[in-house]
Amino acid sequence: MNANDHIKTQQLQNADAARHLHPFADYSKKNEQTSRIIVKGEGIYVWDSEGKRFLDGMAGLWCTNVGYGRKRIADAVHQQMTQLCFYNTFFQTTHVPAIELAAKLVDISPDHFNHVFFTGSGSEGNDTVVRLVRHYWERKGQAQRQVIISRLNAYHGSTMAGASLGGWPSMHKQGGLPLPGIVHIGQPSYLEGGKGKTPEEFGLEAASWLEQKILELGAENVAAFIGEPVQGAGGVIVPPSTYWPEIQRICDKYEILLVADEVICGFGRIGHWFGSQHFGIKPDLITFAKGVTSGYIPLGGVLVGDRIATTLIEKGGEFNHGFTYSGHPVGCVAALENIRILEEEELIDQVRLNTGPYLQKKFQALADHPLVGNAEGIGFLGGMNLVRHKGATVHDNIPFDASQNVGMMCRLNMLDAGVIMRLMPGDRLLTSPPLTMTHADIDEMISMITSALDKTFDTLKQQKML
Ligand code: PXG
């Protein structure tokens, strides 16, 4: 870092604090906390304004699946912007990028998906889900089927419907949420609820909460169940293997629509085009965003299964919904080029068969560290808890007191060591790196994480906090 970079950084930080209201931030602290300014990305790394390099263990925000600096995506975007920067897809109009991307998405998705509705983000995708599901049941002559069941600690976005579907009390408190007709059951977190049970037993129990809720509400009033195949922002919660098949059975039994929110799990993150394929389930709708363009340009949408599409096409009636940027041509060409890269470099097969298992082996072995109570994951997702004392099973671990801020101490040590992880309450640290990581990159990331864990452990011992 040179002195000029430092002064420039401070000026930028001051300007940022003065005017920029960041997402999910406490504005009373905006002048105390300085933001890190990221200026460049290449491959799996990003650089800040003082020249420090970080291995991006969060792929931006769970999204830069093909890594940073892909010139061919930039070229495709440039070409499209020059030729046709924007046109809408309303009023019986369309353009080639939207036509081609819809065809490509239908091609890579399971056979029963033959239609797609485009949005600008994952949240807009889930707003679309709520309206589409209710429109479907209305057209089927069962307009009373209004209720959508979701899960506590789910994350489905930040719009009114997205935050309502999500199960975060802190979000529900703001804006009078959830919207009517959205209810929540418990999450399939073995760590949280599995004490004294095998994961398989707990998976069935967690799925049974759906059936209980359906019976309580009356199946004739329930429109759909929505879930992330693996909960992402809620803490990388991988459900036991028994969970999703049982959810599918229950949805089928009561004819309830199944919606997979694949905003994080889609586009290779757990070794398939869509995470639901890993769990062998057949959703009626799939929400996507993030990895569809690897975050190069915002784009999202909903894949619409035949059960819904056929009904809407046969029964008619306008779906009064859409966004200016539904199917934005620049987003569509970025997605097409991104998907070509995923295919040509066989990144999804790599994650399923090679780099994913390697990352899991190395990441899960972090549980041998004296500070790590448990480390689990799937594909290119991982989460671990820092604990004060390790018990005989994960359910006997003793966490740190929240006031000790151990997770934050460790996260800062990670940044010093040159790796970015996402910190959650409960001293849980998450990773979701670019899918391009090689074995050597994974080794580098694990060694940075280990040195940050060692440093945190030493400090805790010195300060008698252990
Ligand atoms: N569904 C899921 C499963 C998500 O993870 C959304 C919907 C909403 O997508 P948009 O594009 O509207 O943001 C998401 C987004 C975090 C974090 O704190 C996670 C997300 C967004 C912002 C922060 O880890 N996921």
Side-chain angles (χ1 to χ4, degrees):
M1 185 222 317
N2 68 39
N4 273 348
D5 280 351
H6 189 56
I7 291 166
K8 187 141 187 263
T9 294
Q10 285 181 329
Q11 286 168 348
L12 285 168
Q13 285 171 329
N14 292 342
D16 182 71
R19 297 180 200 97
H20 183 179
L21 299 177
H22 289 246
F24 284 86
D26 178 347
Y27 301 130
S28 71
K29 300 203 168 76
K30 72 198 223 61
N31 294 321
E32 295 160 28
Q33 296 171 343
T34 47
S35 292
R36 181 166 299 98
I37 299 165
I38 302 297
V39 295
K40 181 181 138 166
E42 187 62 47
I44 60 170
Y45 301 103
V46 291
W47 283 258
D48 75 9
S49 51
E50 306 209 328
K52 185 165 169 61
R53 190 189 81 165
F54 300 94
L55 192 161
D56 186 5
M58 277 312 291
L61 197 54
W62 319 81
C63 58
T64 49
N65 289 11
V66 300
Y68 295 89
R70 295 285 192 160
K71 188 167 176 302
R72 47 191 284 197
I73 300 182
D75 288 346
V77 162
H78 179 265
Q79 203 285 331
Q80 183 60 42
M81 281 192 169
T82 318
Q83 186 178 327
L84 178 70
C85 63
F86 174 75
Y87 207 78
N88 72 67
T89 53
F90 289 53
F91 321 126
Q92 284 203 294
T93 313
T94 191
H95 44 69
V96 177
I99 297 167
E100 288 186 353
L101 181 60
K104 188 70 203 176
L105 291 170
V106 164
D107 183 37
I108 61 174
S109 59
D111 287 348
H112 66 289
F113 286 105
N114 288 295
H115 294 87
V116 56
F117 190 101
F118 288 117
T119 70
S121 68
S123 300
E124 288 175 2
N126 283 328
D127 275 49
T128 303
V129 161
V130 171
R131 304 197 68 214
L132 200 51
V133 154
R134 290 179 175 169
H135 179 55
Y136 164 81
W137 284 116
E138 190 272 325
R139 297 317 294 151
K140 285 280 279 187
Q142 298 186 48
Q144 82 289 349
R145 280 203 191 244
Q146 287 280 310
V147 182
I148 301 174
I149 304 177
S150 181
R151 300 174 302 176
L152 296 170
N153 196 36
Y155 188 82
H156 294 297
S158 206
T159 49
M160 296 292 271
S164 296
L165 293 171
W168 291 17
S170 57
M171 292 179 81
H172 291 171
K173 266 201 295 198
Q174 297 167 343
L177 304 180
L179 295 173
I182 295 179
V183 302
H184 299 82
I185 58 171
Q187 59 174 342
S189 165
Y190 182 64
L191 208 56
E192 179 187 80
K195 190 174 168 68
K197 295 159 204 154
T198 64
E200 292 72 27
E201 285 165 354
F202 173 69
L204 291 177
E205 180 187 319
S208 77
W209 302 332
L210 175 61
E211 191 154 23
Q212 283 164 31
K213 185 56 91 180
I214 292 169
L215 295 174
E216 179 191 316
L217 295 162
E220 68 284 4
N221 298 315
V222 180
F225 173 74
I226 183 169
E228 305 155 76
V230 176
Q231 285 157 262
V236 179
I237 294 163
V238 186
S241 62
T242 47
Y243 180 76
W244 276 115
E246 183 64 3
I247 292 281
Q248 176 83 65
R249 187 192 67 77
I250 296 167
C251 287
D252 290 349
K253 180 172 171 194
Y254 298 100
E255 291 177 37
I256 286 161
L257 296 169
L258 177 57
V259 186
D261 181 342
E262 302 261 12
V263 169
I264 284 179
C265 293
F267 298 91
R269 175 102 355 244
I270 64 171
H272 294 266
W273 283 108
F274 299 99
S276 45
Q277 293 169 305
H278 170 87
F279 293 102
I281 53 170
K282 199 176 164 209
D284 296 294
L285 295 169
I286 284 179
T287 318
F288 62 88
K290 294 193 191 275
V292 65
T293 61
S294 282
Y296 277 70
I297 295 273
L299 183 92
V302 182
L303 279 160
V304 183
D306 289 343
R307 176 178 170 193
I308 296 178
T310 309
T311 298
L312 296 183
I313 292 164
E314 276 171 10
K315 303 261 180 199
E318 188 165 329
F319 184 42
N320 297 303
H321 180 79
F323 305 98
T324 303
Y325 300 132
S326 285
H328 194 293
V330 178
C332 289
V333 296
L336 284 162
E337 201 57 36
N338 174 61
I339 291 170
R340 262 179 228 124
I341 294 172
L342 287 168
E343 286 178 330
E344 284 171 21
E345 298 182 11
E346 298 179 350
L347 290 172
I348 297 179
D349 288 346
Q350 286 297 312
V351 169
R352 184 172 67 261
L353 303 170
N354 176 10
T355 50
Y358 187 76
L359 173 66
Q360 288 308 321
K361 190 172 110 203
K362 295 283 170 160
F363 185 79
Q364 294 183 23
L366 291 170
D368 295 335
H369 192 279
L371 203 52
V372 179
N374 55 284
E376 58 278 318
I378 182 171
F380 262 40
L381 288 174
M384 64 180 178
N385 286 73
L386 309 184
V387 297
R388 188 158 63 78
H389 173 77
K390 296 215 263 193
T393 75
V394 290
H395 297 112
D396 303 311
N397 292 341
I398 301 176
F400 289 99
D401 196 279
S403 64
Q404 293 178 287
N405 283 324
V406 173
M408 183 52 84
M409 183 197 296
C410 189
R411 181 167 189 273
L412 295 175
N413 287 336
M414 300 241 178
L415 292 171
D416 273 354
V419 60
I420 299 174
M421 287 187 84
R422 160 98 162 75
L423 174 64
M424 302 267 311
D427 302 318
R428 186 161 170 86
L429 286 150
L430 312 178
T431 186
S432 167
L435 309 186
T436 50
M437 300 248 288
T438 62
H439 286 218
D441 296 333
I442 292 167
D443 289 344
E444 185 190 10
M445 180 169 88
I446 295 294
S447 121
M448 288 167 166
I449 294 174
T450 306
S451 78
L453 287 168
D454 289 344
K455 191 169 164 196
T456 310
F457 187 68
D458 289 347
T459 308
L460 290 170
K461 268 203 313 205
Q462 275 160 21
Q463 298 184 357
K464 306 214 179 327
M465 287 166 75
L466 267 175

